[in-house]
Amino acid sequence: MSVWKLNNKPFEEAPKEYIGFVYQIIDTETNMKYIGKKKFWSKVTRPPLKGKKNKRRSLKESDWKTYHGSSETLKELVENTGDWRFERTILRLCKTAGEMSYYEMKEQIENDVLLKPNEYHNAFVGGKIHRRHLNHLMKD
């Protein structure tokens, strides 16, 4: 199975201080790419304990280690050819969902993913990001 890489080193453990990452996947056979984002953690809601009213909420690790993007074309390729030919690179670790959305869109726009259908699998760029989502990144 192909491993995620960060700074050209294998990345196998989700750090607790980050919620996710922006990534690029490259098909080494065709050089087609995909830029996206993925969360390390997903929320789990369980029923309340006996005699209690509040639901129990916790986090569990997502499927990020085996994830290959949300592009149907890309997922089909991985399923049909195996994941050995795909390089999965983490471009940036993110501490908030807003930061993740911002940097995903920034990478997609800077790389003209919608204008280069022969180079990128991406068929959609979008999201709603407010300045307050990025307060921790603000420069004076």
Side-chain angles (χ1 to χ4, degrees):
M1 175 182 2
S2 67
V3 176
W4 286 104
K5 290 193 176 173
L6 176 65
N7 300 322
N8 285 322
K9 295 178 186 156
F11 186 88
E12 299 178 24
E13 291 302 315
K16 294 279 186 209
E17 65 271 23
Y18 294 99
I19 69 150
F21 56 95
V22 176
Y23 64 86
Q24 178 173 266
I25 297 176
I26 300 174
D27 182 339
T28 58
E29 296 279 303
T30 64
N31 212 31
M32 287 285 288
K33 301 173 191 108
Y34 182 79
I35 294 174
K37 65 183 178 184
K38 181 65 178 166
K39 289 184 177 180
F40 288 123
W41 315 103
S42 57
K43 293 178 183 176
V44 177
T45 303
R46 297 188 314 240
L49 292 170
K50 190 173 181 180
K52 303 285 182 179
K53 292 185 190 228
N54 293 336
K55 293 178 182 171
R56 297 177 292 159
R57 293 173 183 85
S58 60
L59 294 176
K60 74 170 192 167
E61 196 166 9
S62 72
D63 64 346
W64 72 272
K65 290 181 181 178
T66 58
Y67 189 71
H68 284 84
S70 60
S71 161
E72 291 303 322
T73 309
L74 184 58
K75 288 194 287 191
E76 198 174 295
L77 272 171
V78 171
E79 191 175 306
N80 293 336
T81 65
D83 76 345
W84 60 269
R85 70 188 232 185
F86 297 91
E87 285 180 8
R88 300 184 302 159
T89 304
I90 294 173
L91 302 175
R92 182 182 188 95
L93 295 171
C94 300
K95 293 187 176 189
T96 68
E99 180 183 353
M100 228 173 24
S101 294
Y102 175 80
Y103 282 106
E104 176 195 32
M105 190 182 303
K106 184 176 190 285
E107 286 287 339
Q108 290 171 335
I109 298 296
E110 286 177 351
N111 286 285
D112 291 328
V113 299
L114 297 180
L115 303 177
K116 299 176 181 173
N118 294 328
E119 194 176 326
Y120 287 92
H121 288 290
N122 296 75
F124 175 81
V125 172
K128 290 167 65 174
I129 307 158
H130 192 278
R131 183 175 287 144
R132 72 173 176 264
H133 296 145
L134 306 172
N135 280 342
H136 67 288
L137 300 173
M138 293 287 185
K139 298 174 182 159
D140 294 328

